[in-house]
Amino acid sequence: MSTPHIEAAPGDFAELVLMPGDPLRAKALAERALDDVRQVNAVRNMLAFTGTWRGRPVSVMGSGMGMPSISIYANELFADYDVQRIVRVGTCGALRADMELGSLVLATAASTDSAMNRQRLAGWDYAPAGDFAMLQALEARARGAEVLVHVGEVFSTDYFYHPDPDFVDRVSRQGILALDMETAALYALARFHGRRAATVLTVSDVLPRGLHFSPAERQAAFGTVADLVLGALLEDVDGA
Ligand code: HPA
């Protein structure tokens, strides 16, 4: 069996999949954090790998950027490969001036300007939320490791370059912590399929202060996040 976008065989994916946006980051992350790594997808260069972490199977796959892209892959992973848990490990633009580059954001829920969830629910507003137990385990692990972590809502936007000049102000005023481009769709899909998802974002931009990671810093931000996620979800009982 394969799907239109994934050529892996049944059983090639672990129950837990970490999803960075960039497929090359998926490769780097798998090689850094996992043993016995093998590549299980290369369709459209959306690389996916499966290996083991302390003997437990784990997969890592790129999601691409934006909600249509992550939805294609998450849908096929949940529906066709029996994946139980997806953790998005991405970057975000922080909306609060007191947030630091490199700190983490755990997304409890995600608002959005995308129409995807409205189509799913006949035009109704919908509140996509992450898996509480996974988020709790991730928070506990981060605090235990003395990693600077913010827990709260994100806004998943279709626009990296938003045409509305008041966009950032409006969203900030609602108490939303950060912007990404995927979580609202991932959380809705996980719930629809009866599976679990959580998003862990590294702050790569602090929008009110005009601070931005360089491309190299964006790439480097992920090593410790993978260790944190795997420790929280495979070692600690609560998130497992
Ligand atoms: N906007 C949307 N998504 C992002 C950003 C941003 O500023 N930074 C990282 N992901």
mmCIF file of all heavy atoms in Angstrom, residues 3 5 21 23 26 42 73 84 89 92 107 119 126 136 146 162 167 189 192 214 218 231 236:
data_model
loop_
_atom_site.group_PDB
_atom_site.id
_atom_site.type_symbol
_atom_site.label_atom_id
_atom_site.label_comp_id
_atom_site.label_asym_id
_atom_site.label_seq_id
_atom_site.Cartn_x
_atom_site.Cartn_y
_atom_site.Cartn_z
ATOM 1 N N THR A 3 0.126 5.818 -0.512
ATOM 2 C CA THR A 3 -0.903 6.855 -0.683
ATOM 3 C C THR A 3 -0.423 7.781 -1.793
ATOM 4 O O THR A 3 0.702 7.635 -2.273
ATOM 5 C CB THR A 3 -1.067 7.644 0.622
ATOM 6 O OG1 THR A 3 0.155 8.360 0.850
ATOM 7 C CG2 THR A 3 -1.359 6.735 1.805
ATOM 8 N N HIS A 5 0.827 10.542 -1.610
ATOM 9 C CA HIS A 5 1.983 11.358 -1.230
ATOM 10 C C HIS A 5 3.003 10.627 -0.369
ATOM 11 O O HIS A 5 4.001 11.214 0.040
ATOM 12 C CB HIS A 5 1.502 12.621 -0.503
ATOM 13 C CG HIS A 5 0.458 13.357 -1.270
ATOM 14 N ND1 HIS A 5 -0.895 13.197 -1.029
ATOM 15 C CD2 HIS A 5 0.563 14.213 -2.306
ATOM 16 C CE1 HIS A 5 -1.573 13.935 -1.889
ATOM 17 N NE2 HIS A 5 -0.735 14.565 -2.665
ATOM 18 N N GLY A 21 8.629 21.376 9.814
ATOM 19 C CA GLY A 21 8.164 21.815 8.499
ATOM 20 C C GLY A 21 9.095 21.359 7.382
ATOM 21 O O GLY A 21 8.650 20.909 6.327
ATOM 22 N N PRO A 23 11.725 19.130 5.396
ATOM 23 C CA PRO A 23 12.128 17.718 5.310
ATOM 24 C C PRO A 23 13.608 17.481 5.630
ATOM 25 O O PRO A 23 13.964 16.424 6.156
ATOM 26 C CB PRO A 23 11.805 17.340 3.863
ATOM 27 C CG PRO A 23 11.525 18.608 3.142
ATOM 28 C CD PRO A 23 11.140 19.629 4.144
ATOM 29 N N ALA A 26 13.855 17.180 9.179
ATOM 30 C CA ALA A 26 13.402 15.838 9.589
ATOM 31 C C ALA A 26 14.570 14.863 9.521
ATOM 32 O O ALA A 26 14.787 14.057 10.431
ATOM 33 C CB ALA A 26 12.252 15.375 8.699
ATOM 34 N N ALA A 42 10.136 9.498 0.191
ATOM 35 C CA ALA A 42 10.848 10.560 -0.531
ATOM 36 C C ALA A 42 9.949 11.173 -1.608
ATOM 37 O O ALA A 42 10.418 11.958 -2.418
ATOM 38 C CB ALA A 42 12.125 10.025 -1.140
ATOM 39 N N TYR A 73 -0.333 15.375 4.678
ATOM 40 C CA TYR A 73 0.516 14.348 5.298
ATOM 41 C C TYR A 73 -0.107 13.800 6.585
ATOM 42 O O TYR A 73 -0.117 12.591 6.806
ATOM 43 C CB TYR A 73 1.919 14.908 5.537
ATOM 44 C CG TYR A 73 2.564 15.266 4.226
ATOM 45 C CD1 TYR A 73 2.789 16.599 3.870
ATOM 46 C CD2 TYR A 73 2.887 14.273 3.309
ATOM 47 C CE1 TYR A 73 3.341 16.926 2.636
ATOM 48 C CE2 TYR A 73 3.429 14.594 2.068
ATOM 49 C CZ TYR A 73 3.648 15.921 1.747
ATOM 50 O OH TYR A 73 4.183 16.230 0.513
ATOM 51 N N GLN A 84 -0.699 7.251 15.727
ATOM 52 C CA GLN A 84 -1.533 7.626 16.883
ATOM 53 C C GLN A 84 -1.271 9.042 17.372
ATOM 54 O O GLN A 84 -2.160 9.710 17.861
ATOM 55 C CB GLN A 84 -1.288 6.644 18.041
ATOM 56 C CG GLN A 84 -1.623 5.204 17.701
ATOM 57 C CD GLN A 84 -3.092 5.021 17.346
ATOM 58 O OE1 GLN A 84 -3.972 5.471 18.063
ATOM 59 N NE2 GLN A 84 -3.357 4.387 16.209
ATOM 60 N N VAL A 89 6.924 19.983 15.491
ATOM 61 C CA VAL A 89 8.065 20.684 16.081
ATOM 62 C C VAL A 89 8.488 21.766 15.087
ATOM 63 O O VAL A 89 9.212 21.491 14.147
ATOM 64 C CB VAL A 89 9.231 19.730 16.441
ATOM 65 C CG1 VAL A 89 8.901 18.903 17.668
ATOM 66 C CG2 VAL A 89 9.580 18.776 15.307
ATOM 67 N N CYS A 92 7.948 29.662 15.378
ATOM 68 C CA CYS A 92 6.830 30.597 15.466
ATOM 69 C C CYS A 92 7.334 32.028 15.593
ATOM 70 O O CYS A 92 8.478 32.269 15.965
ATOM 71 C CB CYS A 92 5.916 30.257 16.648
ATOM 72 S SG CYS A 92 6.685 30.475 18.272
ATOM 73 N N ALA A 107 1.388 24.911 22.269
ATOM 74 C CA ALA A 107 0.111 25.445 21.773
ATOM 75 C C ALA A 107 -1.060 24.696 22.391
ATOM 76 O O ALA A 107 -1.325 23.545 22.039
ATOM 77 C CB ALA A 107 0.060 25.341 20.256
ATOM 78 N N GLN A 119 -14.789 24.732 6.532
ATOM 79 C CA GLN A 119 -15.311 23.781 5.540
ATOM 80 C C GLN A 119 -15.636 22.455 6.213
ATOM 81 O O GLN A 119 -16.620 21.798 5.899
ATOM 82 C CB GLN A 119 -14.289 23.556 4.433
ATOM 83 C CG GLN A 119 -14.045 24.799 3.600
ATOM 84 C CD GLN A 119 -13.123 24.529 2.434
ATOM 85 O OE1 GLN A 119 -13.430 23.737 1.557
ATOM 86 N NE2 GLN A 119 -11.981 25.181 2.440
ATOM 87 N N TYR A 126 -14.850 26.945 15.255
ATOM 88 C CA TYR A 126 -14.403 25.704 15.885
ATOM 89 C C TYR A 126 -13.145 26.031 16.676
ATOM 90 O O TYR A 126 -12.375 26.899 16.281
ATOM 91 C CB TYR A 126 -14.106 24.670 14.788
ATOM 92 C CG TYR A 126 -13.450 23.399 15.254
ATOM 93 C CD1 TYR A 126 -14.108 22.530 16.113
ATOM 94 C CD2 TYR A 126 -12.174 23.059 14.818
ATOM 95 C CE1 TYR A 126 -13.497 21.363 16.540
ATOM 96 C CE2 TYR A 126 -11.562 21.886 15.227
ATOM 97 C CZ TYR A 126 -12.233 21.043 16.089
ATOM 98 O OH TYR A 126 -11.629 19.883 16.501
ATOM 99 N N GLN A 136 0.770 18.517 28.803
ATOM 100 C CA GLN A 136 1.207 18.507 30.209
ATOM 101 C C GLN A 136 2.569 17.844 30.357
ATOM 102 O O GLN A 136 3.439 18.326 31.083
ATOM 103 C CB GLN A 136 0.200 17.724 31.051
ATOM 104 C CG GLN A 136 -0.888 18.564 31.655
ATOM 105 C CD GLN A 136 -1.729 17.737 32.613
ATOM 106 O OE1 GLN A 136 -2.097 16.605 32.299
ATOM 107 N NE2 GLN A 136 -2.032 18.291 33.763
ATOM 108 N N GLU A 146 14.636 23.154 32.829
ATOM 109 C CA GLU A 146 14.838 24.608 32.926
ATOM 110 C C GLU A 146 14.911 25.273 31.555
ATOM 111 O O GLU A 146 15.700 26.188 31.318
ATOM 112 C CB GLU A 146 16.060 24.922 33.791
ATOM 113 C CG GLU A 146 15.822 24.456 35.213
ATOM 114 C CD GLU A 146 16.888 24.909 36.189
ATOM 115 O OE1 GLU A 146 17.778 25.671 35.787
ATOM 116 O OE2 GLU A 146 16.798 24.494 37.357
ATOM 117 N N HIS A 162 1.413 38.994 5.962
ATOM 118 C CA HIS A 162 -0.025 39.265 6.041
ATOM 119 C C HIS A 162 -0.370 40.609 5.420
ATOM 120 O O HIS A 162 0.306 41.601 5.682
ATOM 121 C CB HIS A 162 -0.487 39.228 7.506
ATOM 122 C CG HIS A 162 -1.908 38.784 7.644
ATOM 123 N ND1 HIS A 162 -2.971 39.584 7.326
ATOM 124 C CD2 HIS A 162 -2.438 37.602 8.032
ATOM 125 C CE1 HIS A 162 -4.102 38.922 7.529
ATOM 126 N NE2 HIS A 162 -3.798 37.701 7.950
ATOM 127 N N PHE A 167 -3.002 43.233 11.572
ATOM 128 C CA PHE A 167 -3.152 41.818 11.914
ATOM 129 C C PHE A 167 -2.457 41.460 13.237
ATOM 130 O O PHE A 167 -3.073 40.897 14.144
ATOM 131 C CB PHE A 167 -2.615 40.968 10.752
ATOM 132 C CG PHE A 167 -2.455 39.515 11.079
ATOM 133 C CD1 PHE A 167 -3.559 38.701 11.291
ATOM 134 C CD2 PHE A 167 -1.188 38.944 11.179
ATOM 135 C CE1 PHE A 167 -3.407 37.354 11.586
ATOM 136 C CE2 PHE A 167 -1.034 37.607 11.478
ATOM 137 C CZ PHE A 167 -2.143 36.810 11.686
ATOM 138 N N LEU A 189 -7.558 17.900 12.561
ATOM 139 C CA LEU A 189 -7.434 16.579 11.927
ATOM 140 C C LEU A 189 -7.245 15.471 12.947
ATOM 141 O O LEU A 189 -7.824 14.387 12.823
ATOM 142 C CB LEU A 189 -6.213 16.579 11.013
ATOM 143 C CG LEU A 189 -6.461 16.753 9.536
ATOM 144 C CD1 LEU A 189 -5.137 16.909 8.816
ATOM 145 C CD2 LEU A 189 -7.227 15.554 8.988
ATOM 146 N N PHE A 192 -10.526 14.780 14.516
ATOM 147 C CA PHE A 192 -11.436 14.138 13.555
ATOM 148 C C PHE A 192 -11.136 12.644 13.448
ATOM 149 O O PHE A 192 -12.044 11.818 13.356
ATOM 150 C CB PHE A 192 -11.304 14.809 12.184
ATOM 151 C CG PHE A 192 -12.150 14.173 11.124
ATOM 152 C CD1 PHE A 192 -13.520 14.403 11.075
ATOM 153 C CD2 PHE A 192 -11.592 13.312 10.183
ATOM 154 C CE1 PHE A 192 -14.313 13.804 10.115
ATOM 155 C CE2 PHE A 192 -12.377 12.706 9.226
ATOM 156 C CZ PHE A 192 -13.744 12.954 9.188
ATOM 157 N N SER A 214 18.615 33.840 12.272
ATOM 158 C CA SER A 214 19.208 33.654 10.947
ATOM 159 C C SER A 214 18.780 32.269 10.443
ATOM 160 O O SER A 214 18.355 31.427 11.247
ATOM 161 C CB SER A 214 20.727 33.706 11.060
ATOM 162 O OG SER A 214 21.170 32.574 11.791
ATOM 163 N N ARG A 218 17.720 29.066 12.771
ATOM 164 C CA ARG A 218 16.446 28.352 12.616
ATOM 165 C C ARG A 218 16.697 26.855 12.566
ATOM 166 O O ARG A 218 16.004 26.062 13.172
ATOM 167 C CB ARG A 218 15.761 28.761 11.299
ATOM 168 C CG ARG A 218 14.747 29.851 11.459
ATOM 169 C CD ARG A 218 14.288 30.400 10.124
ATOM 170 N NE ARG A 218 14.172 31.831 10.249
ATOM 171 C CZ ARG A 218 13.046 32.464 10.560
ATOM 172 N NH1 ARG A 218 11.924 31.812 10.711
ATOM 173 N NH2 ARG A 218 13.027 33.765 10.714
ATOM 174 N N GLY A 231 11.756 12.481 25.326
ATOM 175 C CA GLY A 231 11.796 12.203 26.760
ATOM 176 C C GLY A 231 10.422 12.320 27.388
ATOM 177 O O GLY A 231 10.002 11.462 28.173
ATOM 178 N N ASP A 236 8.278 9.612 30.144
ATOM 179 C CA ASP A 236 7.382 10.002 31.229
ATOM 180 C C ASP A 236 6.016 9.359 31.011
ATOM 181 O O ASP A 236 5.513 9.324 29.904
ATOM 182 C CB ASP A 236 7.243 11.523 31.296
ATOM 183 C CG ASP A 236 8.572 12.192 31.621
ATOM 184 O OD1 ASP A 236 9.505 11.467 31.973
ATOM 185 O OD2 ASP A 236 8.652 13.408 31.495
#
